[in-house]
Structures are given as C-alpha cells and as structure tokens.
Amino acid sequence: MKYENDPGRYWWKEAIVYQLYPRSFKDSNGDGIGDLQGIISKLDYLQNLGIDVVWINPIYASPNDDNGYDISDYRNIMKEFGTMSDFNELLDGLHKRNLKLVMDLVVNHTSDEHEWFKQSRSSRDNPYRNYYHWWPAEKGKPPHRESFFDENGRAWQYDRKTKSYYLHIFSVKQPDLNWENPKMRKEIYEMMKFWFDKGIDGFRMDAITYIAKDDSFPAFTEDEIRKQYGEWSGYYASHPWLHKYLNEMNRQVLSKYDIMTVAEGPGVSVEEAHKIVDPSRHELNMLYHFEGMGIGYVPGEFKRVDPNGYDLVKFKEVYTKWSDAFVTKGWGTIYLGNHDQPRMVSRWGNDSPEFKSPSAKMLITFLFTMHATPFFYNGDEIGMSNIRFDKISDYRDIESRNMYQHIKKNKGNVKRFLENQKESARDNSRTPFQWNGSEHAGFTCGAPWIKVNPNYPECNVEAQEKDTDSILNYFRKMIKVRRTHTALVYGSYHLLDKEHKQVYAYVRTLGDEKFLVVLNFSRERVAYKTPPNFLLGENILINNYRGLTKYEDKIQLQPYQAIVAKAAAG
Ligand code: TEU
Ligand code: CA
C-alpha cells in the first residue's frame, strides 16, 4: 500500500521488523525443537512488543543439513515445525493482530533431497538435468570454486552416477540451482505465487546475489579474484544477469502484490545495492549489506573478532555511508545481528553484568533512530548474549563443525579456532529463547536441540516484564518514540564529530522537527559537547540512565549512555 498523499511513503519503510528463528523460539510438544504451535502460543507476546513484521527463517520441508536452508519441498512445512494447517493458523493469528509475515526465500540452492535434484542427478538427459549446474568429467576438473560449508572448501562435488560434478556454494547437500534455465525460473515464480496467494507479506531473499552465475565457469587465479572483485566471494555474486532475473521476478510476481522484499546482500557495494533497490529499476525494495558485519575482524583468519575491539570511527563511516546512500533513491535497512551473526550485545556492546543492560539499550536506540528500516533479531529485546561454547560437540551449526574438520585435516590450530568461535559463531545467536527462569528457560519441557544459555535465570522475558527498567521495556518505549516521530524514519541524517572515538552522535531533521542522538559506545565516562541549539533538559525524550550530568556546555555521559533529545524550537 502506498500513502496516497505522499508517494515516497511505504509501509515497509516505516515497519519495525522482528526476525524469528523458529527452531529456537518455543517448543510446544517437548521434542526440544521450536515449532509453529510454539510460535502461535506466543503471538500475544509478539503483538505486545509493538513490532510490525515478523520475518521467520525457513520453515519448509528440509532434512536440516543447514537448519532449513536446505529445502526439499518448497510447498510443505518441515515435519519438526508442524503442518500446513499450523501455518495457516499462524498466518491468520498474525494478521488478526495486525502483524505481517515475511518468509525466507531460499532459491540459490535446494536440498540434494529435493525431487528436482533427485531427478537431475539420475541421468544426463533427465528433464531436470538443467535445473542445476553440472560439469561433465570428460571436460576435466572444473575450475575451482570455493564453498562456504564444505570440509575441503570445494564447491564442485563429483557424482558417480553420471560422471559429472555439481556445484554447491554452500554445503554438499545444498546444490546450486541453475538460474540460466528459464524453465527453472518459472517454477520458482510459481512457487512464490503459491505463498503470496496464501497471504504472506513478503520475502527475505537468501543469498540472492549468488543466483546469477557465468555458467561457462571461467578459471580464475587467486590474484585475479582479488583484483577483480576485492574479495574471493565476489566472483560468485552479482553477475550482471542478476538484474535481468530480479526484474523478471518483479514483473511476473512481485509487482502483483502489496509486499515487502529484502535481499540478503553479502559483499554488495553501494553502487550494486542501488541497482537492486532503486524503484525505477523494478527489482526489490531493500537490501541488507554486510559491510557493518565485517568490521573488527582480524584479516586472514577465519572469523576472529579483534580482541582489542572495533574502531568506532570506522563503524560510523560505514553506517553513515549506507545512510547517505539512500537519501534520494532507494531505501536501506539496518541490523546488528541475526541468525548468521553472534549476539548483538556481545559483538557491538558489552555483555559483562555491569554493562549489558546499558549497552543493549544503547544499541537498540541506535537501530531505532537511523534512516532505514530496523531489523531486530529475537532475543535482542531482552539482551540475550553469546553462549561461548568450549567444545566442538556443543555446536550444531554446519559452518562451525565443518570448518573445525577442515582446520583439523589441514593440521591447523583448532584450539585457536574454538577460541575465535566463542565470539563469532552463528550458534551464539541460535540458542533457545529465554522465556522464564524455569528449566530450559521455558523453551521446552524436553531436551533442547542446542544448549540454553546458562544466564537464563537472570535474563528472561518474565523477569523483564516485571522490571520497569528492563531492556524489554526500554525496547517498547523506543518503538513508541520511533512511531510518534516520523522524523526518526524519514528525516535527514547528519553525523556530528565523525572523528570522535567513543561517541556516535547525529541529528535527524524533518521539517521543523529536529532530534539529536548521542550514543556513548564506550565503557568509559565521556564528556561531550552538544550543539548549541540542543539545551539538554526537558527536551530529552530518551535516556537509558536515570539522569544526565551537565556542566558548562558539556554533558557527562555514563558508560554506554544513550540520549535522544528534541531540539528546542527556533
Ligand atoms: O547466508 C548466506 C551468506 O551469504 C553466508 O555468507 C553467510 O554470511 C554465512 O552464514 C556466514 O557465516 C544465508 C543464510 O542466512 C545462512 O543461514 C545460510 O546458511 C546460507 O544462506 C545458505 O542458505
Ligand atoms: Ca517441537
């Protein structure tokens, strides 16, 4: 729906998105795995949060090699999660509460147990052969392609039956679909219509920038890859044909519904993002970039978070660049964590008992006051933090498990790998949602599929509901503030003091409405000089501490203090 009197306004620009990881949200039948009836039992909780959109990770039939990102049937629900009638009930329950549902669209690959792939691998002349990428062995070994989740890092897997290799950028059980085949594309579009006709409100498109490939598979040297694209993953992604496909998808499917679409955009530059989201190009609404997520890692080592922390100046530069990118055309998103990232408060704030609450609130303030659609990951609203497993056997994620094997095989340092994983592993964000202080945090009455974070007796919804000062209640307060002030959604963004190493401050302006946001990203007290037209006093809308110390023309910020103030009139 457009707002008739303002063509630039769309519901998905004003929406607050809450990402829900179904496997870990709420188990209804005691098998230790979250499910749709579990979510249904928590619909009132979702409504009371004040969010608008639920993005749910894949719930389609899947053998779960990669927690549902390996789909064996796009038109059915995963057994562990329930049935299609549970799904209908869920969608209905959300809509009744004025909440929208965005599903995950995983079409770069399927499961190797998908019927299409079973057919495809059965013979070279099977009608489904060209649904996937095959390389006949008589042509020799295919040029190297890197795989994310392969123990050997190789994306080509030899398949004896037809003496050919198939391509899998992700795990060996996630063969890549061949988007160069128009018949295959048509089937995907039909499947998308199936879900839109059920009434879903949009798709988050998984690894969508990987779909278009140069199917001659030219050989690259490592050097060429670096020169051409800056990073190795680039050579899979964003082949120019991508836009042909997204445009076709838009014409044939998306344009027919009032929905929201968001691309997952690993390695995507601002220029490339514009090609995907500029309205005149008729592709997708939004994209989420990875540049922010890449900050503060030690180069050359697999996911090692710099123990000295990250550089706030760099952080501000990246988020400012992506905010400025969509001033006149397109629209952005903002997030600080999801199911592929460690917990937001552990990664960007400080999860020590002393600072967890103020830093979680500060990060929430940041997300709600930027010029983009904010995405929260379930658990952010109560400050869930990294579990930091000691042993590889505690991990469930294929990425961690296979990388461990890979490092072990290559006689690498597995101990160091495990240390690094404590700060960066995806499973940190996949532990069960913490509902209350009872056993297994109220997630299940059985044995949870992955360990519960032992901090659940203090960190849970029930405890935070009662505490007016809790992260949860702060989250709700921030939602109200964003809703009441359109300037926080559409207003211009102006960064202050870009070289400041501890404080991230900016002004948002729309018409005569002006807001100052001051965020202390450090664990220290910091004296900060605010601009003259912001005499901080009664005009403070948000403060994650009880008071604010002022002297002369400065404010004395407490560790991780966050302030949102409205400019005095005039
Ligand atoms: O992730 C795709 C992706 O680009 C990966 O690089 C991602 O960054 C990786 O998980 C980092 O460790 C998507 C999904 O979000 C992810 O959960 C899936 O595993 C992946 O696609 C395969 O479908
Ligand atoms: Ca269950």
Side-chain angles (χ1 to χ4, degrees):
M1 182 198 67
K2 279 190 184 184
Y3 293 83
E4 289 309 328
N5 51 359
D6 189 344
R9 283 183 71 178
Y10 282 89
W11 64 262
W12 44 265
K13 294 186 180 175
E14 297 171 22
I16 292 151
V17 182
Y18 182 83
Q19 182 190 346
L20 191 156
Y21 199 67
R23 205 175 171 81
S24 300
F25 196 64
K26 173 72 187 166
D27 175 24
S28 72
N29 61 352
D31 66 354
I33 299 173
D35 47 54
L36 301 189
Q37 281 302 332
I39 302 169
I40 292 168
S41 72
K42 295 294 182 187
L43 283 173
D44 290 338
Y45 172 76
L46 295 175
Q47 183 180 32
N48 290 333
L49 279 178
I51 51 149
D52 304 287
V53 174
V54 174
W55 150 31
I56 190 166
N57 288 92
I59 54 171
Y60 314 94
S62 165
N64 275 308
D65 188 50
D66 183 21
N67 288 6
Y69 281 97
D70 47 318
I71 297 168
S72 52
D73 183 351
Y74 286 111
R75 293 169 191 242
N76 260 313
I77 301 296
M78 191 191 295
K79 278 197 303 295
E80 291 88 333
F81 288 173
T83 62
M84 195 55 94
S85 101
D86 295 327
F87 173 80
N88 296 339
E89 190 183 336
L90 171 65
L91 182 61
D92 205 47
L94 285 165
H95 284 169
K96 277 207 182 101
R97 289 168 180 79
N98 252 324
L99 298 170
K100 294 184 188 287
L101 179 66
V102 165
M103 301 260 283
D104 225 295
L105 180 78
V106 189
V107 292
N108 175 69
H109 44 268
T110 67
S111 164
D112 65 340
E113 296 178 35
H114 193 290
E115 187 55 34
W116 297 344
F117 190 72
K118 288 191 202 159
Q119 295 282 337
S120 185
R121 86 191 318 179
S122 69
S123 81
R124 286 191 181 191
D125 51 16
N126 185 284
Y128 287 92
R129 186 67 171 178
N130 288 332
Y131 274 44
Y132 296 85
H133 292 288
W134 289 99
W135 181 279
E138 62 273 17
K139 277 171 72 179
K141 272 202 164 171
H144 178 72
R145 290 294 184 269
E146 194 76 22
S147 162
F148 283 103
F149 302 153
D150 191 77
E151 274 183 35
N152 305 305
R154 283 197 288 266
W156 288 107
Q157 173 71 22
Y158 183 68
D159 209 42
R160 196 161 296 153
K161 179 96 206 282
T162 59
K163 299 193 172 57
S164 306
Y165 299 82
Y166 69 86
L167 184 74
H168 64 92
I169 293 183
F170 295 92
S171 93
V172 68
K173 283 182 69 64
Q174 292 168 296
D176 283 51
L177 283 166
N178 178 10
W179 275 75
E180 280 59 61
N181 177 355
K183 236 181 108 197
M184 193 292 296
R185 298 205 297 275
K186 193 155 179 289
E187 290 226 40
I188 296 289
Y189 303 152
E190 289 306 314
M191 176 275 284
M192 292 171 72
K193 283 187 207 153
F194 168 83
W195 288 100
F196 284 132
D197 292 339
K198 277 184 160 292
I200 69 160
D201 304 288
F203 275 126
R204 170 267 185 189
M205 303 192 178
D206 184 67
I208 198 75
T209 50
Y210 292 83
I211 60 172
K213 296 166 185 94
D214 181 345
D215 57 356
S216 68
F217 295 106
F220 297 118
T221 64
E222 295 240 334
D223 251 17
E224 272 172 331
I225 294 163
R226 227 169 285 132
K227 248 184 256 145
Q228 232 176 318
Y229 301 99
E231 57 163 23
W232 69 265
S233 64
Y235 72 107
Y236 289 127
S238 305
H239 188 281
W241 290 330
L242 171 66
H243 303 292
K244 193 179 106 185
Y245 304 149
L246 291 180
N247 184 262
E248 180 184 79
M249 181 194 283
N250 185 298
R251 266 183 290 122
Q252 298 196 15
V253 189
L254 308 175
S255 59
K256 303 196 187 328
Y257 303 89
D258 175 26
I259 47 152
M260 142 182 167
T261 50
V262 55
E264 187 194 25
V268 172
S269 66
V270 165
E271 294 70 38
E272 185 62 29
H274 271 293
K275 292 189 188 156
I276 298 177
V277 305
D278 284 359
S280 61
R281 295 177 52 87
H282 303 288
E283 294 185 17
L284 307 178
N285 299 146
M286 300 179 277
L287 169 140
Y288 66 85
H289 68 81
F290 276 55
E291 215 177 327
M293 291 300 113
I295 294 172
Y297 279 99
V298 176
E301 195 169 340
F302 183 75
K303 288 196 174 178
R304 174 168 170 77
V305 173
D306 193 329
N308 302 314
Y310 61 97
D311 176 3
L312 183 68
V313 175
K314 174 79 192 162
F315 185 92
K316 292 194 276 188
E317 187 192 307
V318 167
Y319 285 98
T320 299
K321 177 174 103 180
W322 281 92
S323 179
D324 291 347
F326 301 117
V327 171
T328 52
K329 270 192 282 172
W331 186 256
T333 62
I334 191 156
Y335 70 103
L336 288 173
N338 59 34
H339 67 293
D340 288 336
Q341 303 294 336
R343 283 282 172 186
M344 159 170 115
V345 69
S346 305
R347 182 77 177 84
W348 308 106
N350 185 327
D351 64 14
S352 70
E354 196 182 352
F355 297 124
K356 193 173 91 167
S357 176
S359 70
K361 290 172 183 170
M362 185 275 289
L363 296 169
I364 288 168
T365 316
F366 171 62
L367 292 169
F368 275 129
T369 53
M370 289 293 280
H371 180 264
T373 296
F375 281 59
F376 286 88
Y377 181 66
N378 57 192
D380 287 349
E381 75 274 28
I382 55 167
M384 282 180 63
S385 55
N386 283 358
I387 190 162
R388 303 191 171 90
F389 287 136
D390 290 314
K391 303 190 299 284
I392 190 66
S393 56
D394 283 333
Y395 283 97
R396 296 290 171 267
D397 181 12
I398 186 176
E399 177 176 76
S400 302
R401 293 167 82 104
N402 285 4
M403 188 49 77
Y404 181 89
Q405 290 310 329
H406 180 74
I407 291 171
K408 207 170 146 185
K409 267 189 200 165
N410 292 292
K411 310 237 171 340
N413 190 338
V414 286
K415 227 177 117 196
R416 191 172 162 104
F417 167 75
L418 285 177
E419 274 314 297
N420 295 346
Q421 285 282 293
K422 288 184 179 177
E423 300 307 325
S424 62
R426 307 198 296 180
D427 275 346
N428 280 308
S429 65
R430 298 177 179 185
T431 61
F433 194 90
Q434 295 162 207
W435 292 103
N436 57 44
S438 70
E439 207 190 359
H440 309 311
F443 162 69
T444 180
C445 57
W449 69 278
I450 187 170
K451 281 188 180 163
V452 178
N453 193 311
N455 70 11
Y456 75 90
E458 307 90 56
C459 177
N460 65 67
V461 168
E462 198 177 283
Q464 294 201 16
E465 291 281 7
K466 291 183 207 138
D467 172 6
T468 48
D469 242 6
S470 66
I471 303 169
L472 179 61
N473 283 314
Y474 185 89
F475 179 87
R476 291 181 176 135
K477 194 156 93 189
M478 268 313 305
I479 290 197
K480 289 206 186 93
V481 168
R482 186 170 173 98
R483 281 209 202 292
T484 345
H485 304 285
T486 338
L488 294 176
V489 179
Y490 292 108
S492 66
Y493 160 94
H494 176 71
L495 177 68
L496 305 172
D497 301 300
K498 72 176 182 139
E499 301 297 338
H500 202 296
K501 290 189 168 58
Q502 290 153 307
V503 175
Y504 192 163
Y506 44 96
V507 177
R508 304 288 316 276
T509 312
L510 187 71
D512 351 309
E513 267 207 316
K514 217 181 195 44
F515 294 91
L516 171 72
V517 181
V518 182
L519 308 168
N520 180 2
F521 268 72
S522 79
R523 57 185 299 160
E524 276 108 47
R525 292 219 180 112
V526 184
Y528 183 73
K529 190 166 177 272
T530 54
N533 52 337
F534 289 97
L535 297 165
L536 296 178
E538 313 223 307
N539 55 340
I540 292 180
L541 282 180
I542 283 288
N543 181 356
N544 64 347
Y545 277 78
R546 276 185 208 285
L548 180 64
T549 320
K550 283 178 278 183
Y551 63 91
E552 291 162 10
D553 58 349
K554 293 204 180 73
I555 53 177
Q556 174 75 33
L557 293 165
Q558 300 299 315
Y560 303 103
Q561 188 159 18
I563 302 283
V564 182
K566 200 169 174 192

